[in-house]
């Protein structure tokens, strides 16, 4: 039988009423003998709002809890942060709990991890100490108590130290008395100065009157003020030495390269920043009228900062080691915003990026002569229309009712090819979700992995799967195409599609789920690039038995991108765990027989005849060994049996270098997206645009996120003042 209690407000509650998800029973008040934890604070805040219902709001409860918390920390004699910061921190805790509770029905690993982290956090002290508390605390016992509360929490507060309280009260009274004495002394001095000035003015006036009466014809005289009078007047008018200096935040902001680069990063115009800077300066008590603030001043300062930062960035790139580097490029048609005569005209932009070992640098995003893509644009538009229809229909779709792929060809006993592909794909994707292998840089990779498993009639979790709402159908994102196509096909019974669309979707989903998704996800692994490409080519050729049109189109496209099974880069396969030792021996043997002739260049595999039946060693040429030498690889391990390579320092070092080479074009695609973001904004000058892009890229690298640890430790750039002074020197 449930027990009942009566809280301080007189309301009768039961244990089931006061039981909250994840945090347990609520608490009507904070503990008084320890510094409260996150859990105790949260349970107290929610007690009034959840148990007393509408009698108290979250805001009111937070304020009351903060008052109690400050009283407890005051008893512990630990300096605390500002009250508004404590309120913000407590509100953030409540918001975090509410968000977790809102998503508690999700069965994803991310949600489970978040709940575990939050539960562990509940037993940690809700720390509101000042950042310099350790230095500010004078009594060692108080410092030890704070350290204990942040750790094992074994100590407790027994009560108020009356002797110490009396000492502090006497100290406070002495300080107040001293303050009053100083105030009276300042008032007395100010009074004497005013009397002196007044006396001098009266005597001067009388002298003037007498002189006028004596000689009205000579009025071009001067009265010499005695030096000691001047000193008294100056002393009375001079500001007190202890008065704070006038704030100069406006000048500081304008002279800061970090502020300037951050403004560029968030795409804030000169005019908007001028208004913002004025508001910030006035909020800090600065007289904006006395400073130099205008749109032209801001523009001039930001241009100067961009030039300085770009110079620093280029110099850093020029002087750093670049033993191994890969050039990436990608293009996109966009408006020619830097053409003053015709800013609406279209132009091709080409992003060029270099990557290597701990290196990724955008060289520029330049204009190139435009090309045509009418057929591609037409096909893309048809897809967009279908996706837009599905996005509008999504709110009316029952997400619990979906139908996976039901193509009879998958289970055809006469041709086990698709069945084998299905087993291999499901195993690979499940390992991906378990983080045992593979490459999953973003959440959309996880989503497409889960959707692919659902398409193949494989459960993702024990509970019903929670589908994400359709997002943006961006032209440059292959992931969006996969996600939309998979979702449309899964809900084909609830979303009206034409027979032609349904047939196309089925063929696309069959090919994508069984062949392409696995290859797509594994593509960024450099050491496996050669064997992955060769396996993909073989599977596409075999897929011709299922759908020749799809297989031929995919094969023709892939033949244009077989760089990593070209003679020069086939040696990357020596560092792959997927390649058996026997094949590595064959590759080494072929490299030894082919020699080391760098003049026989072969960047791309031109002859794809019989490629589906070839092994990796058959693709070796004279430039295979030279390519390793050209990027500074110590090839001494080639003279040792591959069975023992993992124990050789030369091989391990070479593998780390090869693994750092990027074999996908994500870097260039991100640069294109960057250009797309800043096109038609901030500047209309092509030169200034290129400088702006360098500044934004540098800022993103230095400040990759908004975590407090990042914001307090990132590398800063020099200010305009420092640059100017060094130039003058």
């Amino acid at each position: 039988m449930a027990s009942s209690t009566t809280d301080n407000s007189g309301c009768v509650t039961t244990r089931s009423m006061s039981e909250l998800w994840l945090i347990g029973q609520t608490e009507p008040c904070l503990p008084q003998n320890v510094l409260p934890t996150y859990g105790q604070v949260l349970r107290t805040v929610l007690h009034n709002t959840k148990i007393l219902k509408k009698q108290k709001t979250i805001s009111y409860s937070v304020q009351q809890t903060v008052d109690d918390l400050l009283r407890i920390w005051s008893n512990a004699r630990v300096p605390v942060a500002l009250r508004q910061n404590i309120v913000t921190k407590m509100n953030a805790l409540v918001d975090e709990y509410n968000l977790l509770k809102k998503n508690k029905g999700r069965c994803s690993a991310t949600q489970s991890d978040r709940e575990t982290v939050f539960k562990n956090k509940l037993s940690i002290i809700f720390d509101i100490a000042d950042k310099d508390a350790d230095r500010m605390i004078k009594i060692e016992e108080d410092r030890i108590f704070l350290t204990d509360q942040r750790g094992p929490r074994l100590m407790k507060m027994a009560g108020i130290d009356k002797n110490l309280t009396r000492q502090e009260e006497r100290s406070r009274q002495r300080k107040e008395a001293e303050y009053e004495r100083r105030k009276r002394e300042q008032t007395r001095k100010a009074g004497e100065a005013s009397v002196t000035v007044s006396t001098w003015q009266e005597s001067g006036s009388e002298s003037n009157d007498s002189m006028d009466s004596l000689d009205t014809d000579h009025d071009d005289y001067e009265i010499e003020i005695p030096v000691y009078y001047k000193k008294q007047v100056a002393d009375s008018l001079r500001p007190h030495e202890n008065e704070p200096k006038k704030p100069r935040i406006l000048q500081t902001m304008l002279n800061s390269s970090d502020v300037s680069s951050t403004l560029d990063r968030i795409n804030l115009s000169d005019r908007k920043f001028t208004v913002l800077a004025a508001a910030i300066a006035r909020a800090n008590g600065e007289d904006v009228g006395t400073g130099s603030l205008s749109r032209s001043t801001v523009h001039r300062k930001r241009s100067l900062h961009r030039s300085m930062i770009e110079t620093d960035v280029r110099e850093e790139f020029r002087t750093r080691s670049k033993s191994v580097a890969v050039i990436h490029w990608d293009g996109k048609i966009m408006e020619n915003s830097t053409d003053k005569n015709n800013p609406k005209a279209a132009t091709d932009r080409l992003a060029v990026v270099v990557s290597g070992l701990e290196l990724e640098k955008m060289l520029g995003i330049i204009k190139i002569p435009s090309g045509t893509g009418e057929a591609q644009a037409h096909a893309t538009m048809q897809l967009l229309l279908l996706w837009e229809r599905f996005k509008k229909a999504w709110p009316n779709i029952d997400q619990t009712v979906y139908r996976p792929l039901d193509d009879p060809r998958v289970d055809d006993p006469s041709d086990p090819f698709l069945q084998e592909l299905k087993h291999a794909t499901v195993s690979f994707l499940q390992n991906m979700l378990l983080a045992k292998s593979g490459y999953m840089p973003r959440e959309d990779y996880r989503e497409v992995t889960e959707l692919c498993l659902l398409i193949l009639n494989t459960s993702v979790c024990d509970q019903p799967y929670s589908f994400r709402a359709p997002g943006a159908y961006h032209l440059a994102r292959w992931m969006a195409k996969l996600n939309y196509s998979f979702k449309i096909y899964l809900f084909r019974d609830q979303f009206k599609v034409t027979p032609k669309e349904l047939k196309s979707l089925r063929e696309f989903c069959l090919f994508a789920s069984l062949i392409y998704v696995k290859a797509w996800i594994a593509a960024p692994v450099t050491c496996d690039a050669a064997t992955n490409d060769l396996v993909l080519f073989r599977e596409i050729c075999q897929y011709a038995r299922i759908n020749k049109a799809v297989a031929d189109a995919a094969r023709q496209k892939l033949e244009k991108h077989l760089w990593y099974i070209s003679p020069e880069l086939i040696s990357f396969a020596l560092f792959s765990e997927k390649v058996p030792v026997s094949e590595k021996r064959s590759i080494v043997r072929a490299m030894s027989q082919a020699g080391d002739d760098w003049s026989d260049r072969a960047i791309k595999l031109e002859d794809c005849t019989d490629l589906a039946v070839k092994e990796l060693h058959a693709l070796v040429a004279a430039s295979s060994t030279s390519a390793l030498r050209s990027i500074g690889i110590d090839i001494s391990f080639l003279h040792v049996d591959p069975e023992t390579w993992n124990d050789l320092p030369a091989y391990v070092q070479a593998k780390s270098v090869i693994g750092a080479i990027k074999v996908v074009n994500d870097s260039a695609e991100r640069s294109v997206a960057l250009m797309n973001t800043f096109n038609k904004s901030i500047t209309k000058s092509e030169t200034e645009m290129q400088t702006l892009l360098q500044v934004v890229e540098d800022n993103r690298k230095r400040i990759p996120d908004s975590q407090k640890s990042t914001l307090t430790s990132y590398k800063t750039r020099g200010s305009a003042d420092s640059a100017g002074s060094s130039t003058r020197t």
Side-chain angles (χ1 to χ4, degrees):
M1 183 174 179
S3 61
S4 63
T5 59
T6 304
D7 61 12
N8 296 334
S9 63
C11 295
V12 177
T13 62
T14 64
R15 290 183 60 83
S16 60
M17 290 173 56
S18 58
E19 180 80 22
L20 295 179
W21 175 78
L22 201 63
I23 65 174
Q25 293 289 330
T26 61
E27 298 179 7
C29 60
L30 296 173
Q32 302 297 310
N33 58 350
V34 292
L35 300 181
T37 63
Y38 277 91
Q40 292 165 340
V41 168
L42 183 59
R43 286 189 283 268
T44 302
V45 171
L46 296 180
H47 175 79
N48 295 325
T49 56
K50 300 297 182 182
I51 305 306
L52 303 184
K53 302 297 181 183
K54 297 182 180 179
Q55 295 185 26
K56 294 184 179 179
T57 63
I58 281 286
S59 177
Y60 178 82
S61 182
V62 166
Q63 295 291 342
Q64 292 295 105
T65 307
V66 168
D67 290 339
D68 294 342
L69 191 64
L70 288 173
R71 189 159 44 249
I72 295 170
W73 280 71
S74 175
N75 292 339
R77 304 186 185 282
V78 177
V80 297
L82 295 176
R83 179 186 175 87
Q84 57 264 36
N85 294 341
I86 302 172
V87 172
T88 301
K89 183 174 182 177
M90 199 172 293
N91 281 323
L93 175 63
V94 176
D95 292 341
E96 183 182 4
Y97 172 74
N98 289 335
L99 181 60
L100 279 176
K101 187 177 179 181
K102 178 181 178 182
N103 298 328
K104 67 179 181 180
R106 292 187 177 180
C107 60
S108 64
T110 302
Q111 175 68 11
S112 178
D113 292 343
R114 287 174 179 168
E115 291 177 7
T116 302
V117 171
F118 188 78
K119 288 180 68 175
N120 295 335
K121 178 181 177 180
L122 295 178
S123 60
I124 300 174
I125 180 177
F126 188 82
D127 201 336
I128 61 171
D130 188 277
K131 63 178 182 178
D132 297 324
D134 289 337
R135 178 179 56 80
M136 298 167 65
I137 295 175
K138 304 300 182 183
I139 302 176
E140 184 63 24
E141 184 180 350
D142 294 341
R143 187 180 292 107
I144 294 174
F145 177 71
L146 177 60
T147 303
D148 170 78
Q149 294 297 288
R150 287 172 170 171
R153 298 179 63 82
L154 301 177
M155 302 175 67
K156 297 183 184 298
M157 291 185 288
I160 299 176
D161 190 335
K162 295 183 179 180
N163 292 331
L164 181 59
T165 302
R166 284 194 293 268
Q167 291 177 7
E168 291 179 345
E169 179 62 21
R170 288 196 297 270
S171 176
R172 184 186 63 80
Q173 292 175 357
R174 284 196 301 270
K175 290 180 179 179
E176 289 182 354
E178 179 66 21
Y179 173 77
E180 291 296 330
R181 282 196 297 272
R182 289 184 179 181
K183 190 175 180 181
R184 288 195 299 270
E185 181 66 15
Q186 290 176 3
T187 303
R188 184 185 64 79
K189 289 182 178 180
E192 289 181 356
S194 62
V195 170
T196 303
V197 174
S198 175
T199 303
W200 170 77
Q201 288 177 341
E202 291 175 359
S203 61
S205 177
E206 292 174 358
S207 300
N208 288 341
D209 292 341
S210 61
M211 291 294 292
D212 288 341
S213 62
L214 291 175
D215 188 3
T216 57
D217 296 330
H218 300 84
D219 56 355
D220 55 344
Y221 57 87
E222 294 182 358
I223 298 178
E224 180 67 24
I225 301 177
V227 175
Y228 58 88
Y229 276 128
K230 290 182 179 180
K231 186 175 184 306
Q232 286 182 353
V233 174
D235 288 343
S236 66
L237 299 178
R238 184 183 297 118
H240 197 273
E241 293 180 357
N242 293 330
E243 290 183 4
K245 296 181 179 179
K246 291 184 178 180
R248 290 173 50 84
I249 191 168
L250 191 60
Q251 200 65 24
T252 302
M253 285 192 296
L254 292 175
N255 288 334
S256 171
S257 293
D258 277 341
V259 171
S260 176
S261 64
T262 303
L263 294 174
D264 289 342
R265 175 176 178 172
I266 63 176
N267 207 354
L268 196 67
S269 67
D270 297 335
R271 193 179 304 278
K272 290 180 179 178
F273 174 65
T274 303
V275 177
L276 176 63
I280 294 174
R282 294 189 63 178
N284 282 271
E286 183 173 355
D287 184 3
V288 179
T290 61
S292 177
L293 179 64
S294 64
R295 192 200 64 80
S296 58
T297 301
V298 171
H299 176 75
R300 186 170 59 254
K301 288 282 189 179
R302 291 177 70 176
S303 297
L304 174 62
H305 289 308
R306 288 183 194 131
S307 177
M308 290 168 48
I309 294 175
E310 184 196 31
T311 301
D312 291 344
V313 169
R314 293 189 182 279
E315 182 63 21
E316 290 173 2
F317 177 72
R318 187 186 66 81
T319 56
R320 72 172 297 168
S321 174
K322 298 179 284 292
S323 58
V324 182
V326 177
I327 302 296
H328 309 263
W329 63 88
D330 192 20
K332 186 175 182 180
I333 299 176
M334 57 185 69
E335 288 187 10
N336 190 6
S337 62
T338 58
D339 185 352
K340 297 180 180 179
N341 298 324
N342 191 9
K344 296 294 184 180
T347 185
D348 263 359
R349 287 277 184 179
L350 184 69
V352 183
V353 180
V354 60
S355 69
L357 185 61
E358 298 181 356
L359 169 68
E360 183 176 319
K361 182 72 187 75
M362 178 187 68
L363 300 183
I365 307 176
I366 58 176
K367 297 179 185 178
I368 59 175
S370 298
T372 60
E374 294 181 4
Q376 181 181 1
H378 177 73
T380 302
M381 183 55 64
Q382 298 303 314
L383 277 177
L384 290 179
L385 293 175
L386 175 62
W387 294 346
E388 189 171 3
R389 280 167 42 206
F390 182 69
K391 189 173 183 179
K392 291 180 179 178
W394 180 258
N396 300 321
I397 288 178
D398 184 358
Q399 298 182 26
T400 62
V401 181
Y402 58 87
R403 189 153 57 98
L405 188 67
D406 53 1
D407 196 310
R409 292 173 292 180
V410 177
D411 300 317
D412 186 2
S414 62
D415 190 355
F417 171 61
L418 292 184
Q419 208 166 33
E420 293 171 357
L421 281 179
K422 178 180 177 181
H423 292 323
T425 302
V426 168
S427 176
F428 173 80
L429 296 180
Q430 286 178 334
N431 285 337
M432 283 285 299
L433 292 179
L434 294 174
K436 291 181 179 178
S437 62
Y439 178 82
M440 194 175 294
R442 298 187 303 267
E443 277 299 312
D444 51 0
Y445 275 70
R446 176 177 291 276
E447 184 182 14
V448 80
T449 301
E450 294 171 345
L451 291 175
C452 189
L453 286 172
L454 294 177
I455 283 283
L456 298 176
N457 199 17
T458 303
S459 62
V460 177
C461 56
D462 297 334
Q463 301 179 10
Y465 183 73
S466 178
F467 290 88
R468 294 185 180 183
Y473 30 82
H474 198 282
L475 298 181
R477 293 296 300 278
W478 173 247
M479 280 295 179
K481 297 176 175 65
L482 283 174
N483 286 337
Y484 262 93
S485 300
F486 284 162
K487 287 176 183 176
I488 293 174
Y489 189 75
L490 285 169
F491 295 105
R492 59 191 179 277
D493 294 337
Q494 302 181 58
F495 175 66
K496 185 177 180 180
V497 290
T498 65
K500 181 179 179 181
E501 290 173 339
L502 182 60
K503 180 181 178 181
S504 299
L505 278 170
R506 181 172 59 251
E507 294 300 329
F508 176 83
C509 291
L510 183 68
F511 176 79
S513 61
L514 294 179
I515 292 182
Y516 202 82
V517 168
K518 181 175 66 174
W520 171 268
I521 293 176
V525 184
T526 307
C527 297
D528 297 338
T531 185
N532 285 343
D533 285 358
L534 190 57
V535 169
L536 176 61
F537 190 87
R538 289 172 180 169
E539 290 178 348
I540 290 175
C541 291
Q542 290 179 278
Y543 194 79
R545 305 201 305 264
I546 309 301
N547 190 322
K548 190 174 186 305
V550 172
D552 288 347
R555 178 179 52 79
Q556 291 171 9
K557 192 69 174 177
L558 183 60
E559 286 178 354
K560 301 176 182 179
H561 300 275
L562 294 176
W563 298 287
Y564 297 101
I565 53 177
S566 66
E568 286 193 13
L569 301 181
I570 194 66
S571 53
F572 283 12
L574 294 172
F575 306 95
S576 173
E577 299 296 332
K578 290 184 176 181
V579 178
V581 173
S582 58
E583 180 61 19
K584 290 182 180 179
R585 291 193 184 104
S586 299
I587 294 174
V588 172
R589 193 179 307 114
M591 291 172 66
S592 177
Q593 294 173 356
D596 188 1
D597 185 5
W598 187 239
S599 62
D600 184 14
R601 301 296 301 276
I603 299 176
K604 183 181 177 183
L605 183 66
E606 299 293 346
D607 184 12
C608 296
T609 306
D610 300 328
L611 180 60
V613 296
K614 288 182 179 179
E615 297 294 337
L616 292 171
H617 67 270
L619 304 172
V620 172
S623 60
S624 300
T625 304
S626 300
L628 289 179
R629 292 184 186 276
S630 69
I631 56 178
I633 298 294
D634 180 3
I635 61 173
S636 60
F637 64 88
L638 294 177
H639 305 295
V640 183
D641 187 76
E643 192 76 46
T644 62
W645 278 355
N646 288 326
D647 299 326
L648 299 177
Y651 178 80
V652 174
Q653 173 64 22
K655 188 174 182 178
S656 67
V657 172
I658 298 299
I661 297 175
K662 291 181 172 60
V663 293
V664 292
N665 219 28
D666 286 359
S667 303
E669 290 177 1
R670 284 195 298 270
S671 297
V672 169
L674 176 67
M675 181 66 215
N676 199 40
T677 300
F678 287 90
N679 199 27
K680 302 187 297 183
S681 66
I682 297 185
T683 180
K684 304 299 181 184
S685 165
E686 180 65 23
T687 303
E688 192 76 7
M689 176 67 75
Q690 296 300 323
T691 305
L692 169 69
L693 295 173
Q694 296 291 337
V695 170
V696 173
E697 184 200 33
D698 172 71
N699 187 278
R700 287 180 173 181
K701 287 182 178 179
R702 291 187 296 112
I703 316 174
D705 53 58
S706 58
Q707 298 289 331
K708 188 173 183 180
S709 57
T710 303
L711 298 178
T712 56
S713 61
Y714 69 85
K715 175 186 174 183
T716 59
R717 293 289 181 188
S719 66
D721 276 354
S722 61
S725 60
S726 62
T727 302
R728 288 191 294 271
T729 302

